[in-house]
Amino acid sequence: MSEAVTQLTETLLQQFKDETFVLLSTVDVESGGPTSTAISWIYAENASTFRLAIDHLSRLVNNMIQNPLITITVFGEEMVYAVNGRASVRQDPLQDVPFNMCCFDITIEAVRNALFYGAQLSSVPQFVKIYDQRAAEKLDEQVFAAMKKA
């Protein structure tokens, strides 16, 4: 993928059927500079829309409300993708979750290969949750179910 496209590839859509993590980059309201945070409450609603949930304690909520232009960095099979888009509030607060969250839809405007020339990923990064596994699974189920209903 050398040129930008405006939708997720089938490979990327498949990747978002399982829990994955991405880097969400926003423009910081206070500094005016870029900021990136790893998130995992995200899925592809379709080839042109991501849906994600953010805890209201995070600066990201206000960042995206004030400046909706974002970049989502996705570590895919052999590639790193930069997905540029525009955030809009889908539901605030997100219903049926145990704490105050905001649900956003991201309209995808461009998908680009962000890996430097001549390189490919040898593996997709993995993560593990280091807190109570049952509590993590329960919370993940609640958040994803609420986002799908939003």
Side-chain angles (χ1 to χ4, degrees):
M1 178 183 307
S2 57
E3 296 192 21
V5 295
T6 58
Q7 294 188 73
L8 298 176
T9 64
E10 187 59 37
T11 301
L12 282 173
L13 275 172
Q14 291 301 314
Q15 181 173 336
F16 281 92
K17 289 191 183 287
D18 296 319
E19 186 178 24
T20 190
F21 82 97
V22 300
L23 294 178
L24 173 61
S25 300
T26 64
V27 177
D28 187 78
V29 171
E30 291 181 18
S31 72
T35 184
S36 293
T37 303
I39 65 168
S40 63
W41 286 327
I42 182 170
Y43 72 94
E45 178 75 9
N46 54 51
S48 58
T49 308
F50 279 123
R51 182 161 297 159
L52 56 90
I54 304 290
D55 184 332
H56 258 286
L57 295 176
S58 172
R59 299 168 67 112
L60 296 172
V61 172
N62 196 33
N63 288 353
M64 289 190 290
I65 289 171
Q66 296 297 316
N67 184 339
L69 298 177
I70 60 90
T71 298
I72 295 172
T73 304
V74 181
F75 302 90
E77 289 186 24
E78 299 182 349
M79 295 178 72
V80 176
Y81 299 91
V83 182
N84 301 106
R86 189 171 299 272
S88 61
V89 173
R90 174 72 180 194
Q91 188 177 80
D92 187 19
L94 183 60
Q95 302 298 302
D96 303 322
V97 293
F99 51 90
N100 196 12
M101 299 186 77
C102 188
C103 183
F104 289 90
D105 279 350
I106 308 298
T107 303
I108 296 169
E109 296 179 346
V111 180
R112 292 183 174 84
N113 178 1
L115 196 58
F116 55 91
Y117 178 76
Q120 71 181 33
L121 291 183
S122 59
S123 65
V124 176
Q126 301 290 313
F127 68 94
V128 294
K129 295 178 180 167
I130 57 173
Y131 56 98
D132 183 316
Q133 188 64 36
R134 286 184 304 157
E137 288 173 6
K138 181 180 178 184
L139 181 58
D140 287 345
E141 287 173 13
Q142 288 174 316
V143 172
F144 280 104
M147 285 194 305
K148 289 179 181 183
K149 286 190 331 191

